[in-house]
Amino acid sequence: MKSMQPKPVVRQSIENRAADSLREFILSGRVRPGTRLTEIALADQIGVARATLRTGLHRLAGEGIVVQIPYTGWQVTELTETDVWELWTLRAGLESLAARLAAQSGDAPSRAAVARAYEALLAACAKERLKQVNACDFALHRSIVEAAGHARLAGQYRLVEQQVRLFIATSNTCVAEGMDDIVAQHRAVAEAVLSGDAEAAARQAWHHNESEGMRLVAWLRRKAGH
Amino acid sequence: MKSMQPKPVVRQSIENRAADSLREFILSGRVRPGTRLTEIALADQIGVARATLRTGLHRLAGEGIVVQIPYTGWQVTELTETDVWELWTLRAGLESLAARLAAQSGDAPSRAAVARAYEALLAACAKERLKQVNACDFALHRSIVEAAGHARLAGQYRLVEQQVRLFIATSNTCVAEGMDDIVAQHRAVAEAVLSGDAEAAARQAWHHNESEGMRLVAWLRRKAGH
DNA sequence: CGCCGGAATATTGTTGACAATCGCCAATGG
DNA sequence: CCATTGGCGATTGTCAACAATATTCCGGCG
C-alpha cells in the first residue's frame, strides 16, 4: 500500500536544483537569445549563494544553453542559421542511429511506448491543438531514442533536443507545415521502427529531420533577407 | 613579421586549467577505473582551492570521465561491456555522419589534412611502432570529423573519443589485429572521403568502428570468462 | 562472535569575503 | 577633434570557513 506511507524524500543538491531551475527558465523562451545573465542577479532571484549558482551555470554552458563570457557575464545562446543546420543534421544522425537500434532490438515495452507516443500525436493532430502537437512530436522522437536502449545516445540526444527546444521557443517559427504533413512524416518513421525494419527506420528518421532542418534554414534565410 | 612581436598571453581561468589537468591525468591511464578521488587531495596536489577544483570535477562529470558520489567522493568512470558497445556504436554513428559530410562538402584544406593523416598512419604502420600507430589512428579519425565542418558534431565526437581513450589506456588491450588490418580498414574510409563518395564514406566509417567495437566486446567477454 | 546503534571522522556542499578582470566614461595630450 | 590613458564601478574568479552527509569505528548486548 503505497498510499499508507509518506512519500520518499528526493535528494538533490542545491547546485543541481539551481541548474535545473536555470535550464527551465532559459528553455521556456522567456529570455531572449544573447541576453546577458549576471550571477549576482540570478543568485538573488533563485535564492542561492552566487558560488552555488556558478556550478549550475557551468553545467548549462557544457550543455550549450549559455555561453560564458569571462569576467563579464553569461549569455543565453544565440542560434544562427549554421547552428540550426548543425542541430538538425546532428539530431538526424543521432535519431537515425536510434531508430535503427530500436527497430533491431527494441523490446516489447519500449515498442509499446513508441506506439503510444505515435497514437498520442495522431490524437493531438486531430484536435489541431498546436501546443499539444508540438509536445507529442517531441515525445514521439524521444520514445524512439529511448527504445534504442543506448544510454549515451539518449544523453547526447537530450543535449541536442534542449537546443532544438531553445530555438523553437525563441524563434517565432512553426516547424511543421500542417497536420497532414506532421502525420505523414512521423508515420513512416514509427511504422518502420515498429515493424522492425532497421534500414527503413534509419533512413526515414534521417529524412524527416533533414528535411525539417532544411525548411528551417530556408525560413531563417527568408527572415534575414527582409 | 610575427617574430617581431611578443607572444600573446594565453588567458585561461584556474577552473579550466584544473579541469584540463584532471582530464589529462585521468585519460593517461595512471589511475584505475573505479578509483575514488577526493577533492581535498586533488586540490592539494594541483595547488588550487577545493572549490575551484570542484568546478573542474563537475566539468569532467559532464564529460563522463568521472562520476560524482554525493558527500562521498568522485570516481574514475568504469567502462563495462555495455559501455564499450555504446561508445563504439555512438562513435560509429557520429563518424559515419562526419565522413558523409566530409565527402560531400569538405573543402580542400580539410581534405588535405585527411590525406596527410592517412599518410602518417601508413608511415607509422610501416615502422611498426604501436604507440605511434595508435596516435595516428586517432588523428586520422579526428581529421575526418574536423573535415565535416560541423562544430557540434566535432564537440560531441570529442566526448566519445575521450572515453574511448580512457578505455584503451586502462584496459590493457590492443585494439587492432595487425598492421595490415589497420591499413585496410582505414584505407577504405580515407579513400571514400577523399574521392567525395558520401555513401561509401558513411558506410565504411560505420563498418570500421562497428567491427572494432564488436571485437572489443568479444575480448571483454573472453576476459570475463576466465 | 555477530549485530546494532551511536559517535567520530572524513569528506562534500554551501556560503560569504577578498582578489582579479573588463567595460565604460572622463580627462588629457597631440 | 581624435586617440590614448587612467580611474571607477560592476561584475566574475578564487579562496577559506562553516554546514551537511555518508562511512567507518567502537562499544555494548544477545
Side-chain angles (χ1 to χ4, degrees), chain B residues 135-216:
Chain B
C136 290
D137 190 324
F138 271 116
L140 174 58
H141 283 242
R142 246 214 107 62
S143 71
I144 291 169
V145 172
E146 302 284 354
H150 191 310
R152 274 177 181 75
L153 176 54
Q156 293 212 354
Y157 182 83
R158 191 177 301 115
L159 298 182
V160 175
E161 185 191 69
Q162 286 178 175
Q163 291 183 45
V164 168
R165 283 183 188 274
L166 180 60
F167 176 73
I168 289 171
T170 56
S171 67
N172 200 25
T173 184
C174 178
V175 175
E177 286 190 338
M179 300 298 171
D180 290 344
D181 180 55
I182 294 174
V183 170
Q185 295 233 359
H186 292 95
R187 178 191 296 125
V189 182
E191 287 184 350
V193 169
L194 293 172
S195 69
D197 187 342
E199 287 297 326
R203 194 172 59 244
Q204 294 294 340
W206 170 268
H207 174 70
H208 164 48
N209 283 288
E210 187 199 37
S211 61
E212 194 170 276
M214 285 167 72
R215 196 184 303 141
L216 287 172

Side-chain angles (χ1 to χ4, degrees), chain B residues 55-91:
Chain B
T55 303
L57 280 168
H58 274 289
R59 184 158 171 181
L60 296 197
E63 293 173 11
I65 297 176
V66 297
V67 177
Q68 183 182 21
I69 319 289
Y71 286 106
T72 303
W74 305 71
Q75 280 190 352
V76 177
T77 297
E78 293 179 284
L79 296 166
T80 63
E81 182 184 313
T82 297
D83 291 319
V84 168
W85 172 72
E86 287 191 356
L87 283 172
W88 259 266
T89 47
L90 188 51
R91 192 192 193 203

Side-chain angles (χ1 to χ4, degrees), chain B residues 25-26 31 35-39 42 57 66 73-76:
Chain B
F25 171 60
I26 292 167
V31 55
T35 299
R36 179 172 170 248
L37 303 173
T38 65
E39 297 173 6
L42 290 175
L57 280 168
V66 297
W74 305 71
Q75 280 190 352
V76 177

Side-chain angles (χ1 to χ4, degrees), chain A residues 38-39 50 54 68:
Chain A
T38 66
E39 297 174 5
R50 188 169 65 78
R54 268 180 79 74
Q68 183 182 21

Side-chain angles (χ1 to χ4, degrees), chain A residues 107-120:
Chain A
D107 60 18
S110 58
R111 293 225 180 149
V114 171
R116 280 194 304 271
Y118 178 60
E119 296 296 338

